[in-house]
């Protein structure tokens, strides 16, 4: 227990240092680097907002949830939306008062229909809009930024598409609804995503990924490791 407490304390201090240095750099830089660094925080913002919406759905007070938010995903308007008393109020506040508002505007959602399944769908819609926008930003900048960041964002897009597919098994989601959650800036777009939405199990997902050279060796290595674990090797 002592070791666990010490590890948590070290993690918190390192996180504080990271946020301090990141914020210092962000405050000193000019465009387009300023916008690039803002994009890097949006994923944390999405997770924080989803945490708050889910918490209010479970009748948890916002004040109890705020300390659990990642510090890189905080923003000035967070104090304003913390007065929301319900998921619907919080959703509407985010639509207007946060840096994520442009992404929310692309995610048509009935704020009165926010159960846990729909909140997770909302998270995936937000990440889809965010990743596609970030990818387009980096591609437009060109040069080293595009050379480095576009493959990273493409991999993240494909990783999310695969995760969405696996998590959709044994749910009532329609195939077209699943496809609409996939980011379209990955290497699996468009053909691979068409196959993924119709996958029925993990093995079929693995076979689909093996069709794409970028992931074939990776999937085969993971498959081999999984087989060794299954046989106790």
């Amino acid at each position: 227990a002592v070791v666990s407490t010490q590890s948590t304390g070290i993690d918190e201090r390192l996180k504080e240092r990271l946020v301090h240095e990141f914020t210092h750099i962000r405050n000193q830089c000019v465009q387009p680097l300023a916008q690039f660094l803002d994009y890097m925080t949006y994923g944390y913002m999405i997770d924080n907002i989803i945490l708050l919406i889910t918490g209010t759905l479970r009748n948890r007070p916002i004040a109890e949830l705020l300390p659990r938010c990642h510090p890189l995903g905080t923003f000035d308007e967070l104090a304003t939306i913390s007065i929301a008393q319900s998921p619907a109020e919080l959703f509407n506040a985010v639509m207007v008062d946060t840096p994520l508002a442009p992404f929310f505007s692309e995610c048509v959602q009935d704020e009165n229909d926010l159960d846990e399944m729909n909140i997770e769908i909302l998270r995936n819609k937000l990440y889809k809009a965010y990743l596609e926008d970030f990818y387009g930003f980096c591609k437009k900048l060109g040069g080293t930024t595009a050379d480095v960041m576009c493959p990273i964002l493409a991999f993240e897009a494909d990783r999310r598409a695969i995760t969405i597919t696996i998590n959709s098994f044994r749910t009532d989601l329609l195939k077209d609804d699943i496809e609409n959650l996939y980011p379209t800036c990955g290497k699996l777009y468009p053909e691979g995503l068409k196959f993924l939405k119709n996958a029925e199990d993990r093995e079929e997902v693995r076979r689909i990924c093996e069709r794409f050279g970028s992931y074939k060796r990776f999937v085969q290595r993971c498959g081999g490791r999984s087989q060794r674990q299954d046989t106790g090797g």
Side-chain angles (χ1 to χ4, degrees):
V2 174
V3 174
S4 177
T5 302
Q6 290 176 341
S7 298
T8 301
I10 293 172
D11 179 70
E12 291 300 319
R13 299 293 83 76
L14 290 173
K15 190 180 295 183
E16 288 176 5
R17 181 70 176 180
L18 169 66
V19 173
H20 174 77
E21 294 188 0
F22 180 92
T23 303
H24 175 74
I25 294 172
R26 170 61 184 85
N27 290 339
Q28 302 300 318
C29 66
V30 297
Q31 300 295 356
L33 178 57
Q35 182 62 57
F36 178 87
L37 294 179
D38 285 345
Y39 271 114
M40 291 183 65
T41 67
Y42 289 164
Y44 297 106
M45 289 186 189
I46 291 171
D47 288 339
N48 284 351
I49 292 298
I50 295 300
L51 171 66
L52 295 180
I53 294 176
T54 303
T56 55
L57 180 68
R58 297 173 179 172
N59 297 315
R60 302 273 297 277
I62 292 287
E64 179 184 321
L65 299 168
L66 286 175
R68 297 179 55 193
C69 291
H70 195 288
L72 275 180
T74 60
F75 43 90
D76 293 340
E77 298 84 357
L78 198 58
T80 303
I81 69 174
S82 65
I83 64 174
Q85 298 298 314
S86 70
E89 288 181 14
L90 183 57
F91 179 85
N92 286 322
V94 172
M95 285 280 289
V96 177
D97 293 329
T98 77
L100 299 178
F103 303 132
F104 267 84
S105 67
E106 299 179 30
C107 306
V108 179
Q109 182 86 29
D110 183 353
E111 67 270 18
N112 296 311
D113 192 28
L114 289 173
D115 57 22
E116 293 200 12
M117 171 67 80
N118 285 327
I119 290 173
E120 194 58 35
I121 290 173
L122 175 62
R123 184 204 300 271
N124 287 315
K125 287 181 177 180
L126 288 170
Y127 263 102
K128 169 184 167 67
Y130 157 59
L131 288 172
E132 291 173 355
D133 204 50
F134 195 5
Y135 184 94
F137 174 82
C138 293
K139 188 174 182 179
K140 184 177 180 180
L141 285 179
T144 303
T145 300
D147 292 343
V148 173
M149 288 302 303
C150 286
I152 292 174
L153 293 170
F155 177 81
E156 176 62 13
D158 289 339
R159 185 191 71 82
R160 294 198 67 84
I162 292 169
T163 301
I164 289 168
T165 302
I166 293 173
N167 288 343
S168 71
F169 296 155
R170 294 183 295 278
T171 69
D172 295 329
L173 286 175
L174 300 176
K175 299 298 184 182
D176 288 343
D177 291 338
I178 295 171
E179 186 178 18
N180 288 334
L181 300 177
Y182 295 153
T184 58
C185 54
K187 295 181 179 180
L188 295 177
Y189 176 79
E191 181 183 8
L193 300 185
K194 294 290 185 183
F195 290 127
L196 272 182
K197 76 170 185 177
N198 293 310
E200 298 294 340
D201 53 43
R202 289 173 178 264
E203 178 61 25
E204 191 171 353
V205 171
R206 186 186 67 80
R207 290 197 300 268
I208 291 168
C209 292
E210 282 185 338
R211 299 183 185 184
F212 296 84
S214 302
Y215 299 126
K216 184 174 182 179
R217 291 179 61 188
F218 174 78
V219 171
Q220 288 176 339
R221 289 178 62 184
C222 290
R225 187 181 300 114
S226 175
Q227 288 174 2
R228 289 195 297 273
Q229 291 174 346
D230 291 342
T231 57

